[in-house]
Amino acid sequence: MSREWVEALHIISLVCWFAALFYLPRLFVYHATADDALSDERFKIMERKLYRGIATPAMIATIGFGLWLASFATEHYLAQGWFKTKLVLVALLIAYHFTCRQLMRQFQAGRNTRKHQFYRWFNEAPVLLLFGIVVMVVVKPY
Ligand code: HEM
């Protein structure tokens, strides 16, 4: 597969990953305010399907195509400050992804104690990471 196809698939998969990482915490906001059993069950199903059906496969594809892209010029990329910073920000994004899993499991077990305000702030973190990662890889500031 050509480098251009790998980069296109890298960008398509990261868009899917971010769509899920923006929507899942939003579901947590509404789930934290739900006080009837029907809504609680509906949010559990929606969160589980979004996390397993979109977020996780998209994360694996983004990282897989990213590593494939890096393999075209590994030494060159590893010598770039912007690329190393990008990898640190991507590591934070992966940590955010698994924190979402932890929080989802607490909702699944009926053990969520956090209020909707917490999830509104929590929902902002991927925006900052997206900003940082895209600036690093497109602007390449250093
Ligand atoms: C381990 C994970 C990742 C690796 C190894 C990786 C690696 C790469 C590499 C080597 C390129 C080509 C850069 C160039 O030559 O200009 C690239 C492009 C790109 N990456 Fe990643 N990436 C990863 C994750 C991500 C994530 C999570 C995002 C989310 C925003 C992202 C956004 C982009 C974008 C927007 C481009 C296209 C840049 C352009 O065409 O100018 N990457 N990535």
Side-chain angles (χ1 to χ4, degrees), residues 112-123:
N112 172 59
T113 55
R114 293 183 176 84
K115 300 263 179 293
H116 66 88
Q117 290 89 346
F118 166 83
Y119 292 113
R120 289 180 195 282
W121 284 107
F122 180 73
N123 203 178

Side-chain angles (χ1 to χ4, degrees), residues 20 23-34 39-56 100-110 112 119:
Y23 190 34
L24 189 54
R26 182 55 46 184
L27 288 176
F28 294 159
V29 169
Y30 302 134
H31 201 167
T33 57
S39 305
D40 183 47
E41 280 315 307
R42 185 176 299 127
F43 283 124
K44 285 180 183 175
I45 294 166
M46 291 171 74
E47 289 156 5
R48 204 170 45 240
K49 287 189 173 177
L50 182 59
Y51 181 82
R52 292 185 187 160
I54 300 177
T56 302
C100 284
R101 184 180 70 173
Q102 277 317 102
L103 295 169
M104 181 182 72
R105 288 188 170 163
Q106 284 171 11
F107 275 110
Q108 301 286 327
N112 172 59
Y119 292 113

Side-chain angles (χ1 to χ4, degrees), residues 122-138:
F122 180 73
N123 203 178
E124 300 308 324
V127 179
L128 302 175
L129 290 170
L130 178 66
F131 188 91
I133 296 171
V134 172
V135 166
M136 282 303 130
V137 73
V138 174

Side-chain angles (χ1 to χ4, degrees), residues 3 7 10-11 14 17-18 62-63 66-67 69-70 77 82-83 86-87 90 93 130 133-134 137-138 140:
R3 187 189 177 287
E7 188 157 3
H10 181 54
I11 295 172
L14 76 91
W17 190 18
F18 271 96
T62 302
I63 296 170
L67 292 171
L69 265 176
Y77 286 119
W82 64 265
F83 187 70
K86 179 185 176 184
L87 292 183
V90 172
L93 195 65
L130 178 66
I133 296 171
V134 172
V137 73
V138 174
K140 300 180 169 71

